[in-house]
Structure formats: C-alpha cells, structure tokens
Amino acid sequence: MAWLLVIVAGLLETGFAICLKLSHGFTRLWPTIAFAIFAMSSFGLLTLSLRKLDVGPAYAVWTGIGASGTAIYGMIFLGEVASTLKIVSIVLVICGVIGLQLSSPAH
C-alpha cells in the first residue's frame, strides 16, 4: 500500500509541475489553485508512505515519476521538443528508479 501512495504522489507531482508552468509565475488564479492542491496532496501522500518506506528509494520513485511524467506531458501536450536523447534519458531515469527500488531492503 505504501508504494501505491508513492506512485499516486508521483503522478500528483507531475500535476503540480504542469500547473506551476500554467500559472505563469502564480499570476493565473486557477492553475495556481490547482498547483497548491496537487502539491499538498503529493507531499501529503509521500509523507504517509515514508512511515513504512526507506526515504531514498521512495523519494527516487516519487521524483522519477514526477520528472518523467512532466517531460512526457510537455512533449505530448505542450509542444516541447521530443528528441531521441530526451526519450533515452527518461528511460534511464525510470531504470534508475527501478534499480533503487529493487535495492531496498524489502527485496
């Protein structure tokens, strides 16, 4: 259950990063409100998961999902450049996160 919280928190991190961009420096009300909701929810779920999980692997999964999800969203929906290097880098981030998770004492 704790890992499910981390995964959802990582997806919410993607949401707060995207809303942060859409808020244009907190000058747009609704993206700013959405940012705050996503951020508080993401940090809250991560905090709950850390009651049961080691901080290193949990944080790596959280940031990996957030970073990868944000980059993928940007390429698909925000017109950001999708290059081979960017896609390979996202895959490497995901592989690193999986490696850290597999190296945790629970495995």
Side-chain angles (χ1 to χ4, degrees):
M1 183 65 169
W3 281 112
L4 179 61
L5 293 178
V6 173
I7 291 167
V8 173
L11 294 172
L12 292 169
E13 183 189 1
T14 297
F16 84 65
I18 292 162
C19 290
L20 188 60
K21 177 174 178 60
L22 297 176
S23 76
H24 290 275
F26 299 126
T27 61
R28 293 185 176 167
L29 179 63
W30 293 113
T32 300
I33 291 171
F35 161 79
I37 291 168
F38 280 123
M40 288 186 297
S41 300
S42 179
F43 285 116
L45 291 178
L46 179 64
T47 300
L48 291 175
S49 73
L50 290 176
R51 292 179 177 173
K52 303 261 182 188
L53 302 173
D54 290 341
V55 69
Y59 184 75
V61 169
W62 179 70
T63 58
I65 291 170
S68 299
T70 303
I72 291 166
Y73 185 93
M75 289 185 288
I76 294 172
F77 297 107
L78 300 178
E80 295 178 3
V81 175
S83 67
T84 302
L85 181 58
K86 188 180 279 189
I87 293 167
V88 168
S89 297
I90 291 169
V91 170
L92 289 172
V93 167
I94 293 168
C95 288
V97 164
I98 291 169
L100 277 171
Q101 203 280 336
L102 292 175
S103 71
S104 69
H107 289 281

